[in-house]
């Protein structure tokens, strides 16, 4: 990649930011299309978020991704927020349109694209989401508009109740909170949106004995988690978090460039980084 006076800058604001795979994915895509964009990591301390957002305007940055811990707080510094991001209560992508900053959230749509390309159909299905944080909200936003039923199970009942109440406002699907999951076999699709599985000694988020080849088991964590391994052993269709990461990035790419993202190039960049 050659940086010139015409190079358009994008990037990611996070704290920490060192772990992110997004620069690899986006720079590979910009290189492939030769469109004169670059993508940089910016370590933004929470107390500097306001100034960093102003710098998008001041430095004529085309757009940025927003990651932990800024996704919610950033909303108060933007000029406009799209409907989906407003519902989710978090922004992961900003577009600078002539100094007007517009916030989007591409996580939920990214997950749906990953399901679609793996031929996991949500329509008329019974779905269970484990966890009730930001990712559960982003993913559930689309699930609840398509599924027959959506169960939410998380360790903090108050959060599951709030999420279920909010989903009920936007969908006609049967939405309910589970206090414990005994019958994992009754769901068509199960989605782990907790960090359980990131660490080697984490317990499984659900019991896996009753899983069968009629079910799809999804984990939002990028790596091959014990849940995904167990589910595969039982013949389930499985999906890890790489697809969601890829597609949320591809959707952001399109927002910034108005061009079709080279998805295969982006996928290869992420997969090579995860499994060198
Ligand atoms: P979050 O807002 O912090 O929510 C995490 C949820 O998991 C909460 O419901 C939390 O419960 C629950 N949880 C946390 N630790 C737990 C434990 N030890 N046992 C049981 N439940 C636990 O986080 P998030 O942004 O939703 O992210 C969740 C996961 O999705 C992370 O692993 C993240 O890496 C992944 N993710 C992946 C992508 C992707 O592109 N693939 C995108 C976004 C997120 P409490 O509320 O009770 O703490």
């Amino acid at each position: 990649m050659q940086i010139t006076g015409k190079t358009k800058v994008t990037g990611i604001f996070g704290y920490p930011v060192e772990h992110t795979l997004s620069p690899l994915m986006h720079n590979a895509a910009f290189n492939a299309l030769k469109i004169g964009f670059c993508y940089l990591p910016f370590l933004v301390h929470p107390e500097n978020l306001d100034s960093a957002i102003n710098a998008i305007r001041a430095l004529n940055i085309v757009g940025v991704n927003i990651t932990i811990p800024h996704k919610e707080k950033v909303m108060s510094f933007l000029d406009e927020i799209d409907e989906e991001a407003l519902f989710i209560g978090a922004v992961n992508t900003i577009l600078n349109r002539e100094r007007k900053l517009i916030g989007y959230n591409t996580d939920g749509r990214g997950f749906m694209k990953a399901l679609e390309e793996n031929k996991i159909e949500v329509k008329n299905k019974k779905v269970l989401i484990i966890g009730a944080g930001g990712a559960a909200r982003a993913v559930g936003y689309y699930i609840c508009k398509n599924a027959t039923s959506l169960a939410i199970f998380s360790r903090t009942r108050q959060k599951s109740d709030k999420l279920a109440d909010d989903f009920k406002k936007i969908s006609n699907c049967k939405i309910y909170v589970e206090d414990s999951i005994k019958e994992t076999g009754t769901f068509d699709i199960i989605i782990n949106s907790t960090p359980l599985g990131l660490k080697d000694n984490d317990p499984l988020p659900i019991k896996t004995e009753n899983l069968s080849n009629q079910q799809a088991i999804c984990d939002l964590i990028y790596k091959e988690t014990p849940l995904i391994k167990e589910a595969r052993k039982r013949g389930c269709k499985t999906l890890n978090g790489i697809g969601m990461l890829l597609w949320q990035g591809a959707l952001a790419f399109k927002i910034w460039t108005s061009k079709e993202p080279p998805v295969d190039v982006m996928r290869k960049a992420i997969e090579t980084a995860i499994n060198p």
Side-chain angles (χ1 to χ4, degrees), residues 131-135 155-156 159 193-196 220-222 241 244-245:
R155 64 179 178 182
T156 310
K159 289 192 187 171
S193 80
T194 75
L196 284 175
L220 304 191
I221 296 172
Y222 318 141
M244 178 174 173
L245 173 70

Side-chain angles (χ1 to χ4, degrees), residues 134-147:
R137 186 171 275 269
V139 162
Y141 179 81
Y142 285 99
I143 300 280
C144 75
K145 293 180 179 183
N146 291 288

Side-chain angles (χ1 to χ4, degrees), residues 16-30:
V17 79
E18 292 81 359
H19 63 281
T20 179
L21 299 178
S22 293
L24 285 173
M25 167 168 73
H26 283 288
N27 285 320
F30 294 147

Side-chain angles (χ1 to χ4, degrees), residues 68 71-72 107 130-137 153-157 159 192-196 198-199 202-203 219-222 240-246 248:
I68 287 169
K71 282 184 175 184
E72 288 93 20
D107 280 339
I130 309 156
R137 186 171 275 269
F153 167 60
S154 93
R155 64 179 178 182
T156 310
R157 172 77 198 218
K159 289 192 187 171
N192 176 37
S193 80
T194 75
L196 284 175
L198 265 178
K199 288 192 240 117
D202 278 343
D219 205 317
L220 304 191
I221 296 172
Y222 318 141
N240 65 25
I242 292 180
M244 178 174 173
L245 173 70
L246 165 70
Q248 64 74 31

